[in-house]
Amino acid sequence: APILAPAPQSLLLLHGAAGQNLGLMRVAPDGRVLWRAALPMTAVRSVLPGPRHLVLMTGSGAPEIADAVLVSVALADGAVTERRLSA
C-alpha cells in the first residue's frame, strides 16, 4: 500500500519482483517520479514512517534479530543508509 509523504505531497511506493531487491519511489501528485531508491533487501518485516525518513526492517521472521537489517531512506532525496543489527 502506498504511504503519503509530506512536503511536497507525494506517495511512496515500494516495488519489486520475487527474488530481487526491492525499490522505493516517491511520486508527485502529477505522476512525476521525484526519486528512486534501490533497497538492499528482498522483503520487509516492519515499516516506520517518519517526518524526514522512512525506516524499513528486514530479517528472517524469527524472533531473534541477529540477521535483521534496518534501512533508512531520506524522504528529501531517497538517500539510503543501511545498518545491520546483531544480537
Side-chain angles (χ1 to χ4, degrees), residues 14-83:
L14 187 64
H15 58 88
Q20 296 182 359
N21 281 359
L22 297 171
L24 184 70
M25 68 173 72
R26 187 169 184 169
V27 181
D30 63 5
R32 287 180 300 118
V33 175
L34 302 174
W35 51 253
R36 295 176 190 267
L39 303 177
M41 55 180 45
T42 58
V44 174
R45 181 168 40 179
S46 299
V47 177
L48 178 62
R52 292 186 301 244
H53 293 86
L54 179 73
V55 177
L56 308 164
M57 183 176 166
T58 187
S60 66
E64 300 82 20
I65 61 168
D67 63 340
V69 176
L70 286 178
V71 175
S72 174
V73 182
L75 296 180
D77 60 7
V80 174
T81 304
E82 173 184 358
R83 178 169 308 261

